[in-house]
Every structure is written in C-alpha cells, then in structure tokens.
Amino acid sequence: MQELLDTLLSRYQPLYTQGKVADYIPALASVAPQQAGIAVATLDGQLFTAGDAHQRFSLQSVSKIFALVMAMNRLGDSLWQRVNMEPSGQPFNSIVQLEWEKGIPRNPVINAGAILVSDVLVSHYSASKAAFLSFIRRLAATETIMADAVVFQSELEHGNRNAALAYLMKSFGNIEADVPAVLAQYFHQCAIAISCSELSRALLFLANRGVQPGLPDAVCSRRDAHRVNAILSTSGMYDQSGEFAFNVGLPAKSGVGGAIVAIVPQYGVITAWSPPLNRYGNSVVAMQLISHLAEELGLSLF
Ligand code: GLN
C-alpha cells in the first residue's frame, strides 16, 4: 500500500497545473497549488499516508457530511420533509432550481441543502458552532482542530450568493433561525482546517455502519450511515457525481479547499487533497489519486 500511494502521488501530483485554485476568497486564493497528499485509514486501525497528508487545509464542503449527521441525529426522519435526496445536476451554488422547487433543496450536500442543515443545527443545538467543533474533534481524536478565523471572516464578507440561497429558503418558510446566524454556522464549518490523515480517521464510522472505532457509542444509526453514503454516491461530487460513480464507484465528497474523501464500506476511508480545482469545483489531482487507487485495489461498490 505504501509503495502504491508513493507511486500514485509522484505520477499525478504534476497534474496540478491543469486546475485552478478557488479564488472566491483571498484566503483560499493564496494557498500553494503544488501541494498534494493522500491518507488511507482502515477499520483495523492502520493509516497509510503520502505527500502532504498531515498538512491542514480548508474543509469547505466536506464539512457538509458532519453537519448532516448531526442534523439527522437531532431531527430524525422529519429532516427529509425540508430537504430532498435527489441529485441536482446543477452547480453546487445554483439558485434557479431552489425557486422552482419552492425552497426545498434537492439534497443536503449542495449549498442550499447544507445551509438548511446549518439552520437545523442553529435551531436545535445550544452553542451550535462549539457543538460542531467538538463533534469533529471527537471523531478525529484531535483536540487541536479549529476553524480558521481568516477564512471564516472572508467567507462572511464574500458570502452574498449563499445569503441569497438562505433568504430565498426563508421566504418559503423553510429556515427557522435568523439568516445571519445560519450563515455564520455554515461558514464556520467550511472554515475548519484539517489534514488528510485527520479527515480519513474522522469519517471511519461511515465505512463501519455508524460505529466509530474507539468510541463507546454509535455516531449514527446503521440506517443513517447507509443513507449518508447513498447521498454521497449520487450527489457528493456535484454535477460530476455520475461520472465519479461510473469511474470510481464509491460514496465521496469534495470541497473547494481541494479535498476529496471516499468511503469504502467495511474497509476504510481515503482522503486526497490538492488545491487546484476542475470546472466542477473538484480537485484535479485528488480525483486522479482516488480514481487510480480505487481501480488498483478494486474498491468499486458496483
Ligand atoms: N464555502 C464554499 C461555499 O459556500 C463551500 C463550497 C464548496 O466547497 N463546494 O461556496
């Protein structure tokens, strides 16, 4: 495994020049583009890493997984009256579909859906930002995980499109809390800084029917772990989700910080990271690393 990771990294890292680092906020635009890392955490406690696997980066949309699990735990099935579970076929921050569909987001991992989920956290957890942070720290078994204050501030200042999504949902009566509080919750989770190795470990429960190795209680029910993986399979890579299922065949989630996580049920979690993105907002190099690793190891679920 170690040899395979090292080979894949040296083969695909040079492709970073084909992508473009997210530049909607200065804090992300200034990240060094040539960085790349990969970490594979397995259910039996092994961790394999290559490249910049211990370097922290901006969690961004990968945070939507953790928030969704917290919201499912609090609301139960009633969550699914406020957000759907269908692929959107639209860019992650699209507004048009939300108007047509009367403020019900297509799924919880596009921005509209994640903002709805943030509303659930604000409305149903006291000190919801701290609750999110302690959830992710407990899963990663790392107390030093923090939100990056500069990224958070910058997201707030440049968050007009997300604000538009939130106010549109509020106008349809699908947001309970005040919009500024909901947006602050969403940007706080996006601004969390984490590494490939920490992220792979933190998501092991999704490969293990809701049970995190080393924690006494289940993180979520077996059914909810199955549901999260189903949503990631159909929608986790935005409007490249179909192609990713076709080529790789694993539940996965990307973020504009350059990370992609892939869940391998009954085996473990792969996280790859490299900042430059393709036109869908998915990391060019991380995509190559995960695709080729999954192919080499025969990991596709289909
Ligand atoms: N902070 C980003 C946004 O809301 C996250 C999007 C992403 O990672 N795709 O636009």
Side-chain angles (χ1 to χ4, degrees):
M1 175 70 98
Q2 188 60 53
E3 212 179 303
L4 179 57
L5 294 185
D6 290 334
T7 308
L8 292 176
L9 197 86
S10 57
R11 189 177 301 159
Y12 296 107
Q13 186 269 345
L15 298 187
Y16 77 88
T17 52
Q18 294 179 6
K20 199 166 155 286
V21 174
D23 58 3
Y24 70 98
I25 54 171
L28 290 184
S30 60
V31 171
Q34 72 280 7
Q35 300 179 91
I38 185 164
V40 180
T42 63
L43 289 178
D44 59 9
Q46 300 187 79
L47 179 72
F48 302 94
T49 63
D52 302 311
H54 302 289
Q55 171 71 36
R56 285 185 176 161
F57 49 79
S58 195
L59 183 58
Q60 294 298 332
S61 279
V62 183
S63 66
K64 292 168 179 172
I65 304 176
F66 298 97
L68 174 60
V69 172
M70 288 178 74
M72 288 168 102
N73 283 345
R74 250 330 127 94
L75 276 200
D77 281 351
S78 65
L79 175 65
W80 304 106
Q81 289 160 14
R82 294 175 58 191
V83 59
N84 237 312
M85 65 291 278
E86 298 299 336
S88 72
Q90 302 283 323
F92 62 82
N93 53 7
S94 168
I95 294 180
V96 274
Q97 201 168 46
L98 192 61
E99 159 105 65
W100 278 113
E101 300 184 356
K102 305 202 175 346
I104 310 283
R106 268 290 167 110
N107 67 64
V109 293
I110 50 172
N111 282 17
I115 291 166
L116 184 290
V117 165
S118 296
D119 177 51
V120 173
L121 301 192
V122 169
S123 307
H124 295 267
Y125 283 84
S126 57
S128 52
K129 288 200 203 92
F132 186 92
L133 202 53
S134 76
F135 185 57
I136 198 163
R137 284 176 173 172
R138 187 157 55 89
L139 291 171
T142 311
E143 284 302 309
T144 59
I145 292 173
M146 303 268 280
D148 182 312
V150 177
V151 173
F152 174 69
Q153 197 51 42
S154 211
E155 294 275 1
L156 273 180
E157 284 161 18
H158 296 84
N160 294 322
R161 199 174 176 86
N162 287 315
L165 292 168
Y167 281 111
L168 187 57
M169 288 188 283
K170 182 94 178 166
S171 78
F172 282 107
N174 201 16
I175 292 281
E176 288 173 23
D178 288 338
V179 166
V182 173
L183 292 173
Q185 176 73 28
Y186 174 65
F187 293 138
H188 175 263
Q189 71 178 47
C190 286
I192 281 175
I194 198 164
S195 68
C196 291
S197 56
E198 290 164 343
L199 198 45
S200 282
R201 281 216 199 88
L203 288 170
L204 279 172
F205 69 98
L206 287 178
N208 197 35
R209 303 185 172 124
V211 176
Q212 181 74 352
L215 289 186
D217 302 317
V219 178
C220 64
S221 67
R222 180 177 176 158
R223 190 191 62 167
D224 281 349
H226 152 100
R227 287 177 161 184
V228 172
N229 285 335
I231 286 169
L232 298 184
S233 301
T234 53
S235 308
M237 302 293 290
Y238 304 120
D239 40 345
Q240 209 173 10
S241 297
E243 186 188 325
F244 193 83
F246 188 85
N247 289 328
V248 184
L250 292 172
K253 183 78 207 78
S254 63
V256 293
I260 300 178
V261 299
I263 313 296
V264 191
Q266 316 311 322
Y267 175 76
V269 177
I270 308 165
T271 303
W273 166 66
S274 161
L277 310 175
N278 66 18
R279 67 193 164 98
Y280 300 102
N282 297 326
S283 165
V284 173
V285 174
M287 190 82 139
Q288 293 294 331
L289 291 173
I290 291 186
S291 312
H292 289 95
L293 183 64
E295 195 177 309
E296 287 284 337
L297 300 179
L299 299 178
S300 172
L301 299 184
F302 303 116

